[in-house]
């Protein structure tokens, strides 16, 4: 298909060799195949063609494995909703929401400020922060709570205001947009994180907003 992924979003350090099939072509639990001509996945469609997409692992599940009663929503599959995976899953969901829906702002803050060009930056900003660093911290297990994750997102906005307020007001405007979007994403992630996992196999966890996500490594279905 024509879908492309960042390596980091799949938990990979290098491009796989040989033929490789992305996760939207088969159920993440039972392996049911979906013909390529039936795939028309659009961001925000938590269910499409009888399939549900988990915001925690980017895997797609067939209706039999995910349950048939879910509308287009945020959804965590049972493995991602397990206590040891849940925090990473919902933070990935929040980051996926930002990167997919607020691309212009994210492009500006995805990488660190070039201190060779802005030589006084570190004299003004004591704690630099950028989105790729947050993604790395999620992957490395550095966050112990959503609150600490939120503080890093807000630190990007704070640093931007501190350095750019009187120099690049258009960048501050983008930072404000990103801050508002981050707040909404974190609120959704917090609600999802605090939701109890139903005991039914087809339950999962749901929320009333869509998102896409990076990678959570899981071995079993669990519930």
């Amino acid at each position: 298909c024509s879908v492309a992924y960042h390596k980091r979003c799949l938990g990979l350090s290098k491009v796989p060799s040989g033929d490789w099939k992305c996760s939207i072509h088969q159920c993440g639990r039972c392996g049911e195949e979906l013909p390529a001509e039936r795939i028309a996945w659009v961001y925000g469609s938590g269910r499409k063609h009888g399939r549900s997409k988990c915001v925690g692992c980017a895997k797609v599940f067939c209706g039999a494995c995910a349950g048939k009663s879910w509308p287009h929503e945020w959804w965590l599959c049972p493995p991602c909703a397990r206590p040891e995976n849940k925090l990473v899953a919902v933070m990935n969901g929040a980051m996926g929401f930002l990167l997919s829906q607020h691309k212009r702002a994210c492009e500006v803050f995805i990488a660190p400020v070039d201190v060779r060009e802005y030589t006084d930056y570190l004299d003004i900003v004591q704690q630099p922060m950028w989105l790729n660093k947050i993604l790395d911290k999620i992957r490395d297990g550095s966050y112990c709570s959503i609150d600490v994750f939120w503080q890093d997102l807000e630190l990007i906005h704070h640093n931007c205001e501190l350095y750019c307020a009187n120099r690049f007001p258009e960048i501050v405007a983008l930072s404000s947009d990103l801050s508002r979007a981050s707040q909404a994403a974190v609120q959704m992630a917090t609600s999802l994180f605090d939701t109890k996992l139903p005991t039914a196999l087809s339950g999962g966890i749901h929320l009333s907003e869509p998102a896409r996500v990076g990678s959570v490594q899981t071995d079993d279905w669990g519930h």
Side-chain angles (χ1 to χ4, degrees), residues 145-178:
S145 71
I146 295 178
D147 287 341
V148 179
F149 167 64
W150 163 241
Q151 289 169 12
D152 275 354
L153 285 169
E154 274 298 280
L155 185 58
I156 294 175
H157 177 55
H158 171 75
N159 290 345
C160 182
E161 285 190 319
L162 197 63
Y163 188 79
C164 298
N166 297 319
R167 313 179 191 212
F168 312 107
E170 67 282 3
I171 301 298
V172 176
L174 287 173
S175 173
S176 297
D177 290 343
L178 182 63

Side-chain angles (χ1 to χ4, degrees), residues 74 94 146-147 149-150 153 181-191:
W74 274 44
I146 295 178
D147 287 341
F149 167 64
W150 163 241
L153 285 169
S182 297
Q183 183 174 7
V186 168
Q187 286 174 346
M188 291 187 284
T190 301
S191 298

Side-chain angles (χ1 to χ4, degrees), residues 195-209:
T195 303
K196 299 296 184 183
L197 176 65
T199 56
L201 175 67
S202 63
I205 293 178
H206 64 98
L207 196 64
S208 58
E209 294 290 341

Side-chain angles (χ1 to χ4, degrees), residues 9 42 55 77 88 163 166-168 180:
C9 292
V42 178
V55 302
C77 68
V88 170
Y163 188 79
N166 297 319
R167 313 179 191 212
F168 312 107
R180 286 189 293 270

Side-chain angles (χ1 to χ4, degrees), residues 27-31 52 54 57 59-67 70 75-82 84-85 197-204 218-223:
C27 176
R29 184 193 183 203
C30 71
S52 294
C54 175
C57 60
K59 292 180 181 178
V60 182
F61 297 90
C62 67
C65 291
W70 297 103
W75 181 75
L76 281 183
C77 68
C80 287
R82 291 170 66 88
E84 63 269 27
N85 293 328
L197 176 65
T199 56
L201 175 67
S202 63
T218 59
D219 295 320
D220 58 350
W221 186 243
H223 55 282

Side-chain angles (χ1 to χ4, degrees), residues 17-37:
S17 60
D19 293 334
W20 179 82
K21 184 177 290 186
C22 67
S23 61
I24 67 172
H25 293 272
Q26 59 186 20
C27 176
R29 184 193 183 203
C30 71
E32 177 214 0
E33 294 286 336
L34 183 68
E37 61 270 17

